[in-house]
Amino acid sequence: MSTQQHPFVSLIIPTYKRDEPLLLTISGMLGQDYPRERYEIIVVDQTESHTEEVQRQMEAWEKEGLITWFRPPQISFAATTKARNWGVAHATDPEIIIFTDDDVEVEGGFIQAHVAAYTSGDIGAVAGKVIVPTHEYDPTAKTVGKITWMGDFVNNFHVDFPADVDNLIGCNFSLRASTVREAGLFDERFRGNAMREETDWAVRLREAGYRIRYVPETHLLHHMVAAGGSRAVSERIRWYEDLFFNNFLFYGKHAPSWRIPFFVMHMARPILACWLVYGKGRPSAFLAPWRGIRAGLSAAKLSQKEGTATVQNPRLRVF
């Protein structure tokens, strides 16, 4: 961390098919207590078109120099991983990079809380507190941000105590910009809902020797708007196929092959949900999870050949 009091921060917001929620998110970022000249707001917009009101507001903010509004020509790429990487590539030499979703609400101390969390040089990333207004939370939770041996992801990013964690939460996390040189960018193989892309990056960061710190002061509200974002995939069976693809791409990259059958058994419930609940027993719905698993493991093998995977000895306790 620089010795200067306010290191430069790039705040990156990927967005896809969101309008009013996006304006709420940006308004909160513009209202920060952090010195305005010490942070930039980068919006990576993959939306084909906005409402007239939203378009006018975005253009006004851009004209005033309050946001950097990227509308990449590859509109069809609509993927969180590619949007994150685009934002990182076009950031203005930051020391800290913060990522949020496009349907969140923050208070004025949000950026400062992330910056203040880097209390030692071995902290490479910070996971933030997330509250979804419609969710009920377990007030007795004692574990946050852990990955179990069976490949389960214990989130609990709502608790009020700080802790070292294994994982990140995609709608609210930050990283030291310098860690990108060691851990790399986000893996653009993760597709659709992009689930596990931040987990994949977190594992690679810890492999590079850094800690990830959960700090509850970095809190926000996540409204989880039903339309837009990764939920813009309307076909539920396709959503499930992407879910299995992403999970098994992650498992295949970071766990020895003999553990894969355990992960399959662990995901029996979503397999049945895809087939019987959403697919109404259709053969195509039964096959979707297995297509996703097979394709995800194939992508992981390619990653291993390229040297971008970290298949682990379980003794290393990556998960």
Side-chain angles (χ1 to χ4, degrees):
M1 177 72 71
S2 170
T3 56
Q4 62 185 357
Q5 186 177 2
H6 297 104
F8 191 77
V9 175
S10 292
L11 201 156
I12 299 174
I13 307 170
T15 186
Y16 180 54
K17 293 188 176 181
R18 292 259 165 79
D19 283 312
E20 285 74 16
L22 174 62
L23 297 188
L24 177 66
T25 298
I26 296 173
S27 295
M29 302 309 177
L30 290 173
Q32 292 296 295
D33 299 336
Y34 207 73
R36 189 63 191 86
E37 70 278 5
R38 299 304 299 162
Y39 75 98
E40 63 180 350
I41 300 171
I42 297 175
V43 181
V44 185
D45 192 350
Q46 303 173 355
T47 308
E48 291 86 348
S49 63
H50 290 287
T51 65
E52 289 186 12
E53 177 185 357
V54 172
Q55 185 74 18
R56 285 195 299 269
Q57 183 61 75
M58 295 292 289
E59 289 174 351
W61 280 333
E62 182 182 41
K63 186 176 181 179
E64 294 175 47
L66 297 177
I67 66 171
T68 301
W69 185 21
F70 287 113
R71 286 145 287 180
Q74 305 96 323
I75 290 297
S76 62
F77 76 32
T80 306
T81 49
K82 293 183 179 182
R84 292 198 204 280
N85 288 343
W86 182 283
V88 170
H90 293 83
T92 309
D93 195 25
E95 289 186 62
I96 302 296
I97 301 173
I98 301 175
F99 294 96
T100 74
D101 279 4
D102 55 356
D103 57 351
V104 303
E105 188 174 351
V106 299
E107 296 180 354
F110 176 73
I111 291 178
Q112 180 59 49
H114 268 279
V115 170
Y118 290 88
T119 55
S120 64
D122 63 344
I123 297 176
V126 170
K129 179 178 179 179
V130 175
I131 297 296
V132 179
T134 57
H135 285 193
E136 294 184 3
Y137 294 99
D138 178 6
T140 66
K142 303 297 182 184
T143 303
V144 55
K146 294 300 179 182
I147 310 174
T148 72
W149 189 93
M150 283 292 290
D152 192 19
F153 304 92
V154 181
N155 291 322
N156 291 336
F157 289 106
H158 67 277
V159 299
D160 290 325
F161 54 86
D164 279 8
V165 295
D166 300 336
N167 197 5
L168 294 164
I169 184 163
C171 66
N172 183 12
F173 72 96
S174 64
L175 53 88
R176 291 183 189 271
S178 59
T179 62
V180 174
R181 291 192 294 270
E182 299 177 65
L185 291 168
F186 296 92
D187 188 343
E188 295 183 4
R189 291 185 179 90
F190 288 90
R191 69 191 193 193
N193 54 49
M195 187 177 291
R196 302 298 159 235
E197 49 98 8
E198 72 270 27
T199 313
D200 170 72
W201 191 84
V203 170
R204 288 187 279 127
L205 178 71
R206 291 190 293 116
E207 272 295 293
Y210 290 96
R211 295 160 55 208
I212 300 173
R213 191 73 176 161
Y214 168 73
V215 179
E217 287 78 12
T218 60
H219 60 88
L220 56 70
L221 293 179
H222 186 197
H223 292 289
M224 294 190 72
V225 177
S230 64
R231 287 173 288 282
V233 177
S234 58
E235 221 296 298
R236 191 66 174 177
I237 304 305
R238 174 58 189 275
W239 185 93
Y240 264 102
E241 185 172 334
D242 289 343
L243 168 73
F244 285 97
F245 174 90
N246 290 335
N247 273 278
F248 282 86
L249 171 56
F250 171 79
Y251 294 142
K253 288 182 67 175
H254 302 298
S257 58
W258 64 267
R259 288 173 65 185
I260 297 301
F262 293 95
F263 301 145
V264 174
M265 289 187 291
H266 173 66
M267 298 195 72
R269 185 173 179 177
I271 290 172
L272 292 174
C274 178
W275 178 31
L276 299 176
V277 178
Y278 295 100
K280 308 299 182 185
R282 298 195 308 268
S284 60
F286 173 77
L287 293 174
W290 306 105
R291 285 197 302 267
I293 291 172
R294 180 178 179 181
L297 292 176
S298 295
K301 286 183 179 179
L302 180 59
S303 180
Q304 292 171 22
K305 290 180 180 178
E306 294 174 349
T308 57
T310 58
V311 176
Q312 295 303 314
N313 182 321
R315 290 176 299 178
L316 296 179
R317 294 291 300 158
V318 172
F319 73 92

